[in-house]
Amino acid sequence: MSLVLDSAAQDLLFREARTANTFTDEPVTDEQVRAIYDLIKYGPTSMNQSPLRITLVRSPEARERLVRHMAEGNQPKTAAAPLVAILSADNEFHEELPQLFPHFPQAKDAFFGERPVRESAAALNAALQAAYFIIGVRAAGLAAGPMTGYDVEGVRKEFLDDDHTPLMVVNIGRPGPDAWFPRNPRLEYDQVVTTV
């Protein structure tokens, strides 16, 4: 069986998708980021929670502050990327539910009145949206370098607040020289899928 998505798009979004480790100097514009968001915002989340928040790190001062919190091996990549995004989960996402889930505006209080419940839901759904974001970066013809090697509390205190949980830092741009490490193996279908 073939997929509806053409082979070139499959390659762009998945088969050739790699974590970029170097980038060119070509800037990533606000228009490109807006186009990425305007595509990925349609990706489904549970009850349309949409808890992902994106902090774009553009100024040299902010970049320097972020690099200090990155793991040593990630610091040069983050320092050199044309654009860096901090993806976080908004643990107060439920405040937007009357707008985002209008057929049941009571969901805000009926399901998400307690903070631990919100944090769990936000972490799951924002991680799903983070995956959409990475695919959206690829759809824009750019490369993404998602990383979790950083001081989570340091990034939270430096750029966010107690209502936001950092999920990952994503370097974004056009791939530079030697951007890719060799492709790692993947699990096969029968190693992953079980039918009961």
Side-chain angles (χ1 to χ4, degrees), residues 126-180:
L128 181 61
Q129 288 185 286
Y132 298 149
F133 180 80
I134 293 166
I135 293 171
V137 168
R138 297 284 305 171
L142 300 169
M147 298 173 296
T148 56
Y150 61 90
D151 174 2
V152 172
E153 282 308 308
V155 168
R156 185 202 310 260
K157 288 176 185 173
E158 193 80 45
F159 294 96
L160 306 170
D161 58 35
D162 289 339
D163 289 331
H164 294 79
T165 303
L167 299 173
M168 66 183 67
V169 173
V170 183
N171 297 327
I172 305 167
R174 300 258 180 225
D178 301 317
W180 320 117

Side-chain angles (χ1 to χ4, degrees), residues 97-108:
L97 281 181
Q99 173 191 344
L100 295 174
F101 207 58
H103 60 282
F104 186 35
Q106 305 89 335
K108 170 183 179 272

Side-chain angles (χ1 to χ4, degrees), residues 10 18 41 48 52 54 66 83 85 88 98 114 116 124 143 152 169 185 189 191:
Q10 292 173 40
R18 312 281 283 284
K41 69 183 179 184
N48 202 29
L52 180 71
I54 304 165
L66 177 59
L83 179 63
S88 63
E114 296 180 17
L124 175 65
V152 172
V169 173
Y189 179 88
Q191 295 175 280

